Amino acid sequence: MKAAVLEAVKNLVVKEVPTPKATGNMALIHVKSCGICLTDYKAYSGDRTNVKFPAICGHEFAGIIEKLGENVRFFKHGDEVICAPVANCGVCSECRKGFAQYCKQGAVIGGDGMKNVLDGAFAEYTLVPENALFKKPKNITFDAAALTEPLAGSYKGLIEYSQLRVTEDLVIIGAGSMGLLAAMIAQRAGANTIIMIDVSDWRLAYSKKCGATHLVNSTKVDAKKAVYDIIPDGPDLVFEAAGPLPAAQLMFDLCRRGTRVNEFGVTTEGTIQVSPANIHWMETRMDASFSVYPRVMQQSIKLQEKGFVDAGKIITHRLPLEKIQEGMDLMKKEERVKVIINP
Ligand SMILES: [Zn+2]
Ligand SMILES: [Zn+2]
C-alpha cells in the first residue's frame, strides 16, 4: 500500500510499504479521509516527544472496513466507519473509571497524548481495534466524518468538562480548527455571546461563519478591554484553544469572579504566572481537556447526523496522499483551517 512515512524530522516520504494484517480484534480500514492536525505537524517539525521514526501519522479519519480480525464481532466487510484514535483496553482501573484517554495499556493511533503510538491514517490502509470503531451515518461525508474526533475533543472540553450552559457569555481564544468547532457547538448549545480572539483577521473573519458573534484581534487592540466593552460583566467561560503560552496568560487575565476557564490548546512545555490568591478570591474554576473517550465520539456523531453541527465547514483544502507535503507546508500558512488528505 501507499503510505506517507515520516522517516525523520521534516522528512516525509510517500512510498510503498507492506499492508498491515488484521488479526484478533483489529480491523483493516481503507482510509477515505484524514485531517492534518497541528499535532501531526508538530511530529513533522520535531516539536512532539512521542514520535519514533519511521512513523505514519494521522489520527482524524474515516474509511471503509476492508478486512476483519477473527475476533471482531459487531462490524462487517464494507461498513463505513469513523475511527477514534484511542485504542484502550477497557479493563484497567482508568478505563473502568471512564477515562479511556488515560488507559494504562492504551495506545494512540497516529496521534499524541499517549506513550504508545500505533501507525496512523496517512496511508491507504490502517489497523483500528474494534472498540475504536463507530458506524458512519450515511448523511455524513467521509471528509466531515474524519473531523468527528476533533469535534468530539471540543465537545468534551466545552460541554462535558466546562459545562457551557444556554445564555452564557463565552470567550474562545484561537480561531483554529478546535476554536471554530467549539464556536459551532456553543452556538447550537445556546451561548449568548461568542467572542473570538485571534491574531489573524483572516481566521477571525472565517469564525463568523462558525457562529462567533464578536471578533477581537489581540495584536490590534487590548483584548481584555475589548472583551469588557462587549460584555461589561465579563465572561462566564473562557476556552483557550490557541496553543501559545500568552494565550493561556490571557485566559486568566480575562477572568472576573466566578469565571470558568478551560486550558485546551497548550500542548508544549513552558510556564505562565498566575496568582493563587487571585484564583482564590476570584473563585476561578479551572478545567482542561485533551483527547476523547467513546461517549463524546458518539455524541459528536449525533451532532453531525442531526445537522446540528457541520464539521465540514472548517475544511479549506483537500489533497491526495501524494501531495501531503503540500498539506504540511499549508500548516504554516495563515489562510487555511483544516486540510484533509484523501488517500
Ligand atoms: Zn487532532
Ligand atoms: Zn485501559
Side-chain angles (χ1 to χ4, degrees):
M1 67 168 187
K2 244 180 294 160
V5 181
L6 190 58
E7 309 262 17
V9 169
K10 292 196 176 158
N11 183 7
L12 187 60
V13 187
V14 179
K15 62 179 192 182
E16 283 291 325
V17 300
T19 304
K21 289 231 156 29
T23 56
N25 67 340
M26 300 299 261
L28 184 70
I29 308 301
H30 185 178
V31 181
K32 299 293 284 181
S33 307
C34 183
I36 302 183
C37 178
L38 205 58
T39 57
D40 297 315
Y41 182 74
K42 283 179 181 171
Y44 169 80
S45 65
D47 296 317
R48 213 175 87 188
T49 51
N50 69 340
V51 187
K52 278 200 203 90
F53 302 108
I56 300 174
C57 294
H59 61 273
E60 305 172 349
F61 61 107
I64 301 172
I65 293 184
E66 179 78 18
K67 287 207 170 94
L68 299 165
E70 61 282 6
N71 297 333
V72 175
R73 292 163 300 169
F74 297 99
F75 293 85
K76 58 181 191 315
H77 175 85
D79 278 351
E80 298 184 352
V81 288
I82 292 170
C83 307
V86 180
N88 70 305
C89 76
V91 184
C92 75
S93 58
E94 297 292 359
C95 280
R96 294 220 157 142
K97 278 184 267 181
F99 296 118
Q101 75 276 32
Y102 307 158
C103 177
K104 291 173 180 170
Q105 310 283 325
V108 56
I109 302 168
D112 201 358
M114 281 177 165
K115 252 202 282 166
N116 297 329
V117 186
L118 305 176
D119 279 343
F122 292 145
E124 282 181 277
Y125 297 96
T126 193
L127 290 174
V128 180
E130 182 177 25
N131 68 355
L133 293 175
F134 298 81
K135 296 223 163 91
K136 181 182 87 59
K138 284 282 178 208
N139 68 342
I140 308 175
T141 64
F142 280 105
D143 286 355
L147 302 181
T148 300
E149 188 264 343
L151 182 65
S154 283
Y155 173 85
K156 170 173 166 277
L158 197 68
I159 305 294
E160 295 229 336
Y161 280 31
S162 288
Q163 301 184 352
L164 177 73
R165 291 181 285 255
V166 64
T167 75
E168 286 196 321
D169 293 321
L170 168 70
V171 175
I172 298 172
I173 305 172
S177 299
M178 304 311 283
L180 297 179
L181 292 170
M184 285 192 259
I185 296 164
Q187 184 184 40
R188 178 65 205 182
N192 182 41
T193 314
I194 303 170
I195 302 173
M196 185 65 79
I197 302 178
D198 200 276
V199 296
S200 153
D201 282 333
W202 187 89
R203 283 200 295 265
L204 284 168
Y206 204 96
S207 75
K208 266 239 132 140
K209 291 189 253 181
C210 300
T213 60
H214 298 77
L215 313 177
V216 173
N217 186 325
S218 58
T219 65
K220 293 185 176 165
V221 296
D222 177 338
K224 182 165 186 180
K225 186 177 176 304
V227 166
Y228 279 77
D229 282 346
I230 300 162
I231 40 170
D233 278 346
D236 295 300
L237 172 61
V238 183
F239 193 73
E240 190 287 301
L245 292 173
Q249 186 72 57
L250 178 62
M251 172 179 79
F252 284 105
D253 292 347
L254 289 175
C255 290
R256 54 139 164 92
R257 284 187 156 180
T259 295
R260 311 193 298 286
V261 299
N262 195 308
E263 179 41 69
F264 188 87
V266 178
T267 61
T268 45
E269 292 299 316
T271 54
I272 56 166
Q273 292 235 308
V274 291
S275 150
N278 248 346
I279 289 178
H280 171 83
W281 293 114
M282 308 245 292
E283 295 192 332
T284 304
R285 313 287 297 274
M286 177 83 204
D287 242 312
S289 178
F290 77 90
S291 191
V292 295
Y293 40 69
R295 183 175 65 239
V296 293
M297 285 296 291
Q298 200 66 62
Q299 297 297 80
S300 160
I301 291 169
K302 224 187 259 177
L303 278 174
Q304 298 176 85
E305 185 182 14
K306 305 283 178 202
F308 294 160
V309 169
D310 175 9
K313 259 193 197 173
I314 69 166
I315 299 170
T316 53
H317 298 79
R318 293 177 171 83
L319 293 166
L321 187 63
E322 292 74 19
K323 293 194 174 165
I324 191 168
Q325 182 63 51
E326 222 173 278
M328 286 297 169
D329 296 339
L330 275 166
M331 296 301 284
K332 286 178 293 188
K333 298 255 156 60
E334 184 187 329
E335 298 185 3
R336 61 94 197 146
V337 186
K338 183 54 78 179
V339 181
I340 292 279
I341 300 297
N342 297 120

